[in-house]
Amino acid sequence: MGTTTFTKKTLGLENGEPAVTPPPAPTAETTFVKKPKLAAGKSKKREIPEGLWTKCKRCSTMVFDKELDENLKVCPHCQYHFPLGARERIHSLVETCSFEEMDAEMLSADVLQFTGISTYTSKLADYQKSTGQKDAAITGIGRIGEHRAGLGVMDFSFLGGSMGSVVGEKLTRLIEKSTEKGLPVIIISTSGGARMYEGMFSLMQMAKTCGALAYHAKAKLPYISVLTDPTMAGVMASYATVGDLIIAEPGAMIGFAGPRVIKDTTQAELPPGFQTAEFLLDHGLIDAIVPRKEMKEQLIEYLDYLTVGMKQAAAAG
Amino acid sequence: MKNQLDFEKPIFELQSKLEELKKHPEAHSLGVSFEEEIQKIEAKLAETRKQIVSNLTAWQRVQLARHPKRPFTLDYLQNTFSDFSEIHGDRLFAEDRAMVGGFARLGEHRVMVIGTQKGRDTKENILRNFGSAHPEGYRKALRLMRLADKFGLPIITIIDTAGAYPGIGAEERHIAEAIAVNLREMMLLEVPTIAVVIGEGGSGGALGIGVADRVLILENAYYSVISPEGCAAILWKDRAAAPKAAEALKITARNLLELGLVDEVVPEPLGGAHNDPTAIGATLKQLLLNHLGELQKFPAAERLKQRYNRFRAHGHFVEKQPSPQPAAA
């Protein structure tokens, strides 16, 4: 087709990248059709003047990019949810100018001096350059409707959204600050799991974030976990799964072990729709599936309920 | 000989030589005494063991950690603890035999012991699911931890698993949730808690019972975010690169101690824990008693604070770029 379809090049790392026992396998579900920014110079010149079109991964319809952006990266024809960057996600949720970012300058350190096929340092540099992000999560405090809340948003485009020390530390600080200020926490996850390049330090972020959430919960403050495509392995086995409410975007791939690993280990045929948001809902593992366009309103409504006790306590004391 | 690792070969060769010599009568028909020769070989055997073990690569240690003859959790329940009284089931769905737990005595202390359990042979491994627990195992562990917490029993967890089980049922019953809830709840247990990695510390499946006041690891055990093979498959695109991955991931006991991720390394008998299960059991007992004694000196609130700070401190990052780089746009 004479249109610009950009299939994200598999560097071999994004999909199954960072994992905690065992790595999520690269599958069709996690290979995204991704549209680069208009400014990105790499795009091939095509005949089509002005603007770009993106082919929907699910229904193959060509969607005008402007339309896709206005639709929060959801296909207007089949409602397929394209990946959404952390900045765009925050923009779609918080009230204008209300987001105060925390630890914006925090960077990963190559503590293990990890060298594989390439070094961790060069990997980080590559991703910082290609994504314009410092790491795989953005945190801060913002206003959603009338609610001030701690908001942590992951970005899959940075090293597969993998959780290393920076993601763990930023989220922990966010949770701690929210506990201190008596604020709800919302974390929007998308991750292949823990970041291998930081070895055991990555694994420890699971304990660290869950520990911070333990004290946030003890203070009777609400935590809503939002699972987006994909949320796997170490992130799933830590903060993403201990929400007072756990909701997911439609079609998101969610699980602990990667499907290929499960298949290889058990030699079993995986049931249809295995490890999708819908599968999890049917098995009673998540509270609701919320389409992206309704996410903000739904979060506000949940917070309206979950903050009743906080308001009563504030009024009483 | 079965169950021997490549790098153990020189040891086994010397051992068989020794045994052969010992089988001969005191004095040979020719009147030659083997005493001297036997002593020489014994000395050489000790030297070889020492040399091999002190120069092991990360990958060789992983193999030792997976040694089929290595003492497992139930062996320590005999050699380190006494009067083990097993408690079964998660009271929800099933009894997971990859995770054992129950009351036991550690010296004078009454404690709760929980650990992952591997099998020695195929039959036992099927029963124990090769030491990989399902969600039920983690939920049983939490049930026992809460029981111990309620009645003031210190908790010792013993870790020896390649990882939580990657299966359809495990996903359907939410293995991720079982682990995550454990991470959160273990942070709040008021009794002293000690975790010991005795063999394989396989990622989230290990951490799922690994949040504790103290984390110990045996000299030849490993603890890693991903198996060396898994890491090799992803980063090197070749599982055979596992030795390289094992090195890069810094997963040996010594690495972890240097990185401040574990509190103490439990020294193993020469050649590895499997060479003397009784001795390693006794060593571990002494160390556990030391740590438990120290932990019991603190009030619960102080222990909780220290436990939180212990895990809170893990992580390396840069707050600000060391120097402004004009090249970076």
Side-chain angles (χ1 to χ4, degrees), chain B residues 6-281:
Chain B
D6 282 349
F7 57 87
E8 286 185 306
K9 234 176 212 161
I11 295 174
F12 281 97
E13 275 167 16
L14 284 168
Q15 259 175 350
S16 62
K17 221 188 230 175
L18 194 66
E19 269 160 36
E20 218 167 88
L21 279 174
K22 279 184 176 168
K23 264 188 229 152
H24 281 269
E26 262 314 298
H28 199 263
S29 52
L30 293 169
V32 186
S33 167
F34 288 106
E35 265 315 296
E36 207 177 314
E37 190 71 3
I38 286 174
Q39 273 177 13
K40 254 196 217 161
I41 293 178
E42 274 176 344
K44 192 164 181 213
L45 190 61
E47 184 55 36
T48 310
R49 274 203 174 126
K50 207 176 190 173
Q51 212 168 15
I52 287 175
V53 169
S54 54
N55 291 322
L56 286 179
T57 63
W59 179 239
Q60 286 172 328
R61 285 190 201 275
V62 169
Q63 288 170 282
L64 266 187
R66 293 171 178 168
H67 201 293
K69 287 199 161 171
R70 198 169 168 84
F72 297 150
T73 297
L74 286 174
D75 300 305
Y76 288 96
L77 275 158
Q78 279 198 351
N79 298 331
T80 303
F81 302 88
S82 58
D83 305 317
F84 176 54
S85 166
E86 190 167 3
I87 302 172
H88 298 277
D90 67 346
R91 293 220 181 129
L92 295 165
F93 184 77
E95 156 69 348
D96 189 341
R97 293 187 186 272
M99 185 79 77
V100 297
F103 300 124
R105 299 268 201 124
L106 176 68
E108 297 296 300
H109 302 273
R110 283 189 163 87
V111 298
M112 176 67 78
V113 184
I114 299 158
T116 47
Q117 176 67 35
K118 293 182 178 175
R120 283 264 169 243
D121 51 36
T122 311
K123 199 181 151 197
E124 212 191 338
N125 259 322
I126 289 167
L127 180 75
R128 303 290 180 191
N129 199 33
F130 296 84
S132 285
H134 279 79
E136 294 70 44
Y138 293 95
R139 291 184 180 128
K140 168 163 83 173
L142 182 61
R143 178 171 88 80
L144 298 189
M145 288 189 252
R146 283 178 168 154
L147 182 71
D149 200 36
K150 185 172 177 184
F151 298 105
L153 300 172
I155 299 165
I156 317 286
T157 61
I158 302 178
I159 298 166
D160 187 15
T161 179
Y165 188 64
I168 295 168
E171 296 285 325
E172 286 176 332
R173 301 193 299 278
H174 220 176
I175 184 89
E177 192 258 8
I179 292 172
V181 168
N182 282 15
L183 302 185
R184 185 185 64 191
E185 295 305 310
M186 289 186 85
M187 201 60 92
L188 299 175
L189 295 168
E190 293 189 4
V191 293
T193 56
I194 304 172
V196 193
V197 184
I198 58 163
E200 291 192 271
S203 194
L207 187 63
I209 55 166
V211 177
D213 294 316
R214 299 284 159 88
V215 180
L216 314 183
I217 184 166
L218 264 60
E219 191 182 343
N220 295 311
Y222 80 90
Y223 196 178
S224 179
V225 66
I226 184 168
S227 73
E229 291 93 334
C231 179
I234 297 169
L235 289 189
W236 279 267
K237 306 262 173 264
D238 180 10
R239 289 179 83 81
K244 283 184 200 162
E247 210 68 54
L249 285 164
K250 305 255 192 317
I251 58 177
T252 66
R254 203 178 300 167
N255 288 152
L256 297 170
L257 187 70
E258 282 164 8
L259 293 168
L261 288 158
V262 297
D263 299 289
E264 187 164 4
V265 174
V266 185
E268 292 187 25
L270 224 46
H274 60 287
N275 281 321
D276 197 343
T278 318
I280 185 67

Side-chain angles (χ1 to χ4, degrees), chain A residues 231-252:
Chain A
T231 303
M232 298 296 292
V235 166
M236 197 54 195
S238 60
Y239 55 85
T241 314
V242 291
D244 294 300
L245 289 175
I246 304 169
I247 57 177
E249 283 194 339

